[in-house]
Amino acid sequence: MPDARFDQQWPDLSLVYAPDRPLFLTDQGIVTGWSFLRAAHVVAALLPDCPIVPVCSDISSFALLLAATMLRGQHVLLSSERNPARLAELALEHNAVCASVEGDSESALLAGGGLMVPDILATLPSSYAETPCCHNPVIKPDALVALVFTSGSTGQPVGHRKYWGGLVTRSVTARVLLDPDDAPACLVGTVPPYHMYGFEALVLQCLNTRVTVVTGSGGYPADWQTSLNRALAPRILVTTPLQLRTMLRSGLTWPAIRRVVSASAPLASDLAAEAEEVLGAEVTEIYGSTETGSVAMRRTVSGAYWRWYKGVTPHERGEGIEISAPGVPSYVLADFIQTRDDGTFLLLGRMKDVVKLGGKRSSLAALNAVLNAIPGVEDGAFLPPEGDSTNILARMQVFAVSSTLTDQNILRALREQIEPVFLPRSVRLVPALPRNALGKLTLKALRAMAGQVMQEEEAGSFTLPSDHSCLPGHFPGNPVVPGILLLEAGLEQLGQTGLHVDMVKFLHPVLPGQKVVFQVRSSGSVVRLTARLNDQPVMRVVLKAKQEHATQS
């Protein structure tokens, strides 16, 4: 059951607040609340009596399925994993049905056995637009309307139950922050409706407050420009740091924006300042989680401190900071928080974000911030090693996207800013990181990519000069690089102690002046080092961790 403790009288709990106003601006025109309700009743009659997995990226199509599901007395299941197998698995686990709307860009993901409903919003006669002859029900505050799954950024996704009363209360609380002017705002989102951020900031704001939402699909700046041009002033842009940076780098011209709202990842202050200058808009950040919804906000350029929403109360607990908020159960935050008596706080980082290697600690977010701040790096991420952090073989992996830098350029820049224990052996350049529609990079997706591209890492190179002192005796008249020098060079490039050579094979002679490249691959407690000359293996080495033996008395 939901937490029944609320510090204010319930706002309007109708399915649609003030249905005589415009809810959506679409390609076809304005969709009013009455049009939306009529369409929701039509779709509700097509749905089965079971939970629904909305397979939609368009805001109005998603909201239509949500409203129709609520009219059936059921709830929706929301997951950021957008592949047919996962969506079908989710439906099977919860006795649900996947459903989409004709014409939605995600309808192709509809798995076998799913339900396709017609785009009623596009086909209803215009004469129905203002006719209040359909039912706008009042939903009970304890009605379960959504099971929202975490993104799985640091582990397996977990579902969290969302009840109507809490969602409405949170929407009304957040509205004055998202929509601060006298005139109702028009929201444009670059984020999907099935993630808690888009669900709360776009879908629920549209249903429960005075705002209008612009619909539209596409993940490119030109698509967002089209939506913003269609929107009426004052315009509010709901986005993420990665998408905001993409906008600023696009070189496009943007209409007047009243406020930019960012969430899903920390927003760098220099990026926020650039956005305020280029867009002429206030740039604010939302702090929250799938478990709690949004609970705090700040204007990034004004400083590091956040301010709690009205009604949100922090409590110090032994395991961290617990917050209570209207309409949601109390929850211990997964972040390190430093609170102040004036209702503000500092966000110090995620508890699961701490990386421990070689007896030292660092924040994964801090490492990623250093990487992405390197001029020329378009995107990048550190991947911590799996397993025991005391493993002496463990090294960070780094993946980066750049059209102007080499892997060595990036590695040199990292060496100047982070401790050696957190340096990777090499940086792997990739075309793109496997981010989801919200710009999040889950640990699962990053490890899957690593498994595909990190078969071997480059550990360095070695060239023996032709005038080296060992060559006259190795061999007279026919100089060859001694195998022991090649082995020592490879071990030096590997840069790890606590290993012993279990096996070594020299496969082909190496001549003075020839460049040998060392590549390494780790598997459990075994490290395989290969030296290559023009891609031909010339030495193979198997190394294992040294075993510590107890001293007998």
Side-chain angles (χ1 to χ4, degrees), residues 58-347:
D58 180 80
I59 297 292
S60 60
S61 296
F62 178 95
L64 180 64
L65 279 177
L66 170 68
T69 303
M70 291 172 63
L71 289 172
R72 299 288 298 191
Q74 298 291 336
H75 64 277
V76 295
L77 305 169
L78 308 185
S79 171
S80 294
E81 291 190 68
R82 309 310 284 180
N83 63 77
R86 173 54 186 156
L87 294 171
E89 179 186 10
L90 187 65
L92 183 63
E93 288 173 355
H94 295 270
N95 297 315
V97 169
C98 293
S100 188
V101 176
E102 289 179 352
D104 190 276
S105 60
E106 279 205 349
S107 59
L109 299 178
L110 198 64
L115 176 66
M116 183 75 73
V117 302
D119 186 2
I120 304 296
L121 288 176
T123 58
L124 277 178
S126 58
S127 58
Y128 289 162
E130 303 299 336
T131 308
C133 60
C134 55
H135 185 42
N136 181 25
V138 174
I139 309 297
K140 292 181 179 180
D142 60 353
L144 175 66
V145 297
L147 184 62
V148 185
F149 287 82
T150 57
S151 62
S153 299
T154 58
Q156 290 298 316
V158 177
H160 294 272
R161 301 165 76 87
K162 303 296 176 180
Y163 300 90
W164 184 243
L167 292 175
V168 174
T169 302
R170 315 287 295 140
S171 297
V172 173
T173 301
R175 199 279 301 169
V176 296
L177 301 170
L178 291 168
D179 175 20
D181 291 346
D182 292 336
C186 206
L187 303 187
V188 174
T190 66
V191 298
Y194 45 76
H195 186 277
M196 188 63 195
Y197 177 29
F199 181 52
E200 183 179 52
L202 297 172
V203 179
L204 294 175
Q205 279 292 310
C206 181
L207 295 180
N208 296 322
T209 75
R210 65 182 190 172
V211 304
T212 301
V213 173
V214 177
T215 67
S217 59
Y220 297 98
D223 301 315
W224 308 332
Q225 183 192 48
T226 299
S227 295
L228 284 164
N229 283 331
R230 188 192 307 150
L232 304 175
R235 300 173 182 86
I236 307 293
L237 176 65
V238 178
T239 189
T240 70
L242 185 64
Q243 292 166 330
L244 183 58
R245 183 168 68 172
T246 302
M247 284 181 61
L248 299 179
R249 301 295 180 269
S250 68
L252 297 176
T253 301
W254 305 96
I257 298 173
R258 170 64 176 86
R259 171 172 285 183
V260 174
V261 178
S262 176
S264 83
L267 177 62
S269 58
D270 57 347
L271 179 60
E274 181 185 356
E276 291 211 352
E277 181 179 355
V278 172
L279 302 176
E282 292 180 4
V283 176
T284 60
E285 288 182 87
I286 284 177
Y287 170 68
S289 65
T290 301
E291 296 84 351
T292 64
S294 61
V295 294
M297 182 176 274
R298 71 173 178 178
R299 185 174 178 182
T300 315
V301 298
S302 295
Y305 286 93
W306 298 79
R307 183 168 294 278
W308 300 108
Y309 284 4
K310 179 182 178 182
V312 176
T313 307
H315 310 277
E316 291 194 15
R317 297 287 184 261
E319 64 272 32
I321 299 295
E322 180 184 74
I323 62 169
S324 57
V328 294
S330 296
Y331 174 73
V332 177
L333 297 174
D335 295 297
F336 293 109
I337 297 289
Q338 185 180 90
T339 61
R340 300 204 306 180
D341 294 337
D342 63 354
T344 63
F345 66 93
L346 277 177
L347 181 60

